[in-house]
Amino acid sequence: GAGVSQSPSNKVTEKGKDVELRCDPISGHTALYWYRQSLGQGLEFLIYFQGNSAPDKSGLPSDRFSAERTGGSVSTLTIQRTQQEDSAVYLCASSLVVRGGGPQHFGDGTRLSIL
Amino acid sequence: KNQVEQSPQSLIILEGKNCTLQCNYTVSPFSNLRWYKQDTGRGPVSLTIMTFSENTKSNGRYTATLDADTKQSSLHITASQLSDSASYICVVSLYGGSQGNLIFGKGTKLSVKP
């Protein structure tokens, strides 16, 4: 596709369940980012990938959060044993390079609601 | 500490009027500054990117300015339209930092009323 695609667009699940969020970046983009946006708040950095490696995992809130990227393309963000405070919009972005250069291209996010 | 502060937090204007949004940053070393527009329920979309040497950059009715000495930027919207209602996010990129080198402001929520 032409843009960054995220799925599902909405996810409602019960507390304690695991969830997996998917991001398909723009073809050829080597950098991929995950952010979390809570209601009325700015974007909170979670993790970024350069190719398949994640040089910076400092933003992951806890060890319940993990992410991987395979083939330099699709990435998945997994949240284990979800808690109500995990409810937020999870945004994925991709760019050609990490440093400087062009803009990030964002997907429309996955709206996660934990009951 | 690297920070990006935006003001006002929210703004309401009438259709057709102009407005200016502010962004102050304490980010070093500075690489570039970006403005994004985020419609409700959508991901942010890039409006402008300015490097250290650029003072102004336009994208249609949007004009961004940058003063690297005072570490201030503004986004001016001319002849506002209802479709300009959105959150506007200022983002500063730095060299050699973590978080993929991007520091985000919390945004200004703009409402354009008819």
Side-chain angles (χ1 to χ4, degrees):
Chain A
V4 176
S5 177
Q6 292 188 246
S7 61
S9 55
N10 287 282
K11 177 72 175 178
V12 181
T13 191
E14 293 179 344
K15 176 182 173 181
K17 300 289 187 182
D18 297 351
V19 296
E20 189 174 277
L21 313 180
R22 177 187 171 103
C23 173
D24 281 276
I26 292 174
S27 178
H29 280 194
T30 59
L32 185 147
Y33 310 76
W34 283 99
Y35 297 93
R36 180 167 70 175
Q37 188 174 35
S38 300
L39 188 63
Q41 299 297 311
L43 273 70
E44 174 190 2
F45 168 81
L46 298 178
I47 188 171
Y48 88 88
F49 289 89
Q50 176 66 26
N52 290 335
S53 65
D56 187 354
K57 302 179 182 178
S58 64
L60 294 177
S62 74
D63 59 7
R64 296 186 295 105
F65 287 71
S66 63
E68 66 174 13
R69 188 180 187 194
T70 56
S73 181
V74 173
S75 176
T76 54
L77 176 69
T78 301
I79 309 174
Q80 295 177 310
R81 306 180 302 282
T82 53
Q83 303 294 313
Q84 288 187 329
E85 60 263 28
D86 299 334
S87 296
V89 176
Y90 289 82
L91 289 163
C92 174
S94 70
S95 65
L96 279 172
V97 294
V98 172
R99 300 182 187 279
Q104 290 178 310
H105 298 264
F106 284 84
D108 286 335
T110 293
R111 185 175 299 277
L112 178 63
S113 299
I114 309 300
L115 303 178
Chain B
K1 182 180 179 182
N2 290 316
Q3 284 186 315
V4 175
E5 301 286 343
Q6 292 188 245
S7 63
Q9 188 174 19
S10 62
L11 181 63
I12 300 174
I13 62 173
L14 293 176
E15 185 179 13
K17 299 295 185 182
N18 304 334
C19 68
T20 300
L21 313 180
Q22 301 291 342
C23 174
N24 296 339
Y25 62 93
T26 54
V27 175
S28 181
F30 174 90
S31 175
N32 59 64
L33 185 144
R34 311 160 183 221
W35 283 94
Y36 285 84
K37 177 187 179 188
Q38 185 175 23
D39 292 316
T40 300
R42 305 299 300 273
V45 174
S46 178
L47 294 175
T48 63
I49 299 176
M50 288 184 293
T51 60
F52 183 88
S53 60
E54 295 176 298
N55 300 119
T56 184
K57 183 165 281 189
S58 292
N59 179 356
R61 294 180 296 103
Y62 301 101
T63 298
T65 65
L66 174 64
D67 186 334
D69 292 330
T70 61
K71 298 188 177 181
Q72 295 179 326
S73 176
S74 65
L75 180 68
H76 186 74
I77 304 175
T78 303
S80 61
Q81 300 176 359
L82 298 179
S83 59
D84 293 332
S85 294
S87 287
Y88 292 84
I89 304 170
C90 177
V91 185
V92 179
S93 174
L94 67 158
Y95 285 117
S98 62
Q99 303 188 9
N101 307 318
L102 298 172
I103 310 298
F104 286 77
K106 291 187 177 181
T108 292
K109 184 172 183 178
L110 175 66
S111 298
V112 180
K113 303 295 185 183

